[in-house]
């Protein structure tokens, strides 16, 4: 969140270079578009969510709505709902497919998408999130903490033991073992 907060607070500036002079542009359609990407997404929201998607998923696809050739709206799409169509001819990418929440697949032309990503070393079309590199370490840490918490919560001792003078057949022994594992095996137990 800290990274996303800082990225979202960036003050964007647009400059025009004329010869050796540099002029600050205060009003421009691009600045308007980025300050209000669509009717429910502000610049802060767009940049904050973009950074979150990049950190977590490694990808932040922006769908660009155009009027003619002019971009008029931007929509940040969920990366897990995007399929990249590899190029078959001169184009590296032929386009994208977006699967909406109702399961409908919507084709998107390559010039209608700005596919921001942290490049993946295993897939040239997709990205890799920062967290994925640390996912295994995070999982181990989380399981260790949960196990330790439950170990002390359960008084650090087994709550029962079993003893019998009779010989148990395989069926009874397996059923008993299965019931014990269901109740006591795993990080949470």
């Amino acid at each position: 969140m800290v990274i996303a907060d800082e990225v979202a607070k960036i003050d964007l500036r647009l400059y025009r270079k004329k010869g050796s002079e540099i002029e600050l542009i205060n009003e421009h359609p691009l600045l308007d578009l980025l300050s209000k990407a669509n009717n429910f997404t502000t610049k802060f929201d767009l940049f904050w969510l973009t950074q979150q998607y990049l950190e977590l998923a490694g990808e932040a696809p922006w769908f660009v709505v155009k009027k003619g050739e002019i971009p008029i709206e931007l929509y940040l799409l969920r990366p897990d709902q995007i399929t990249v169509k590899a190029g078959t001819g001169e184009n590296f990418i032929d386009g994208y497919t977006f699967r909406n929440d109702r399961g409908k697949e919507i084709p998107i032309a390559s010039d209608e998408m700005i596919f921001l990503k942290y490049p993946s070393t295993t897939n040239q079309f997709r990205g890799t999130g920062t967290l994925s590199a640390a996912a295994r370490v995070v999982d181990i840490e989380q399981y260790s903490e949960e196990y330790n918490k439950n170990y002390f919560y359960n008084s650090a001792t087994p709550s029962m033991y079993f003893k019998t003078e009779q010989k148990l057949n395989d069926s009874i022994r397996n059923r008993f073992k299965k019931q014990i594992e269901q109740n006591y095996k795993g990080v949470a137990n």
Side-chain angles (χ1 to χ4, degrees), residues 113-130:
M113 182 78 77
I114 300 172
F115 199 83
L116 305 168
K117 66 181 182 281
Y118 289 157
S120 167
T121 57
T122 58
N123 185 337
Q124 60 189 343
F125 299 106
R126 302 308 302 238
T128 300
T130 305

Side-chain angles (χ1 to χ4, degrees), residues 60-80:
W62 288 5
F63 173 60
V64 181
V65 177
K66 296 180 181 180
K67 189 173 188 177
E69 289 298 313
I70 307 296
I72 59 169
E73 291 183 314
L74 299 172
Y75 290 90
L76 177 62
L77 303 179
R78 283 187 25 204
D80 62 314

Side-chain angles (χ1 to χ4, degrees), residues 13-80:
R13 295 187 183 168
L14 182 62
Y15 295 92
R16 177 181 297 140
K17 185 175 179 181
K18 290 182 179 180
S20 62
E21 293 183 26
I22 297 176
E23 173 188 4
L24 176 64
I25 307 295
N26 291 315
E27 292 185 22
H28 192 276
L30 177 61
L31 293 172
D32 295 340
L33 178 63
L34 291 174
S35 72
K36 186 170 183 182
N38 56 59
N39 62 359
F40 61 89
T41 306
T42 64
K43 175 201 153 283
F44 186 91
D45 296 337
L46 178 66
F47 281 45
W48 195 92
L49 285 168
T50 294
Q51 190 60 42
Q52 283 286 48
Y53 280 24
L54 286 170
E55 294 298 328
L56 298 174
E59 303 172 342
W62 288 5
F63 173 60
V64 181
V65 177
K66 296 180 181 180
K67 189 173 188 177
E69 289 298 313
I70 307 296
I72 59 169
E73 291 183 314
L74 299 172
Y75 290 90
L76 177 62
L77 303 179
R78 283 187 25 204
D80 62 314

Side-chain angles (χ1 to χ4, degrees), residues 31 61 101 104:
L31 293 172
D101 292 334
K104 182 178 179 185

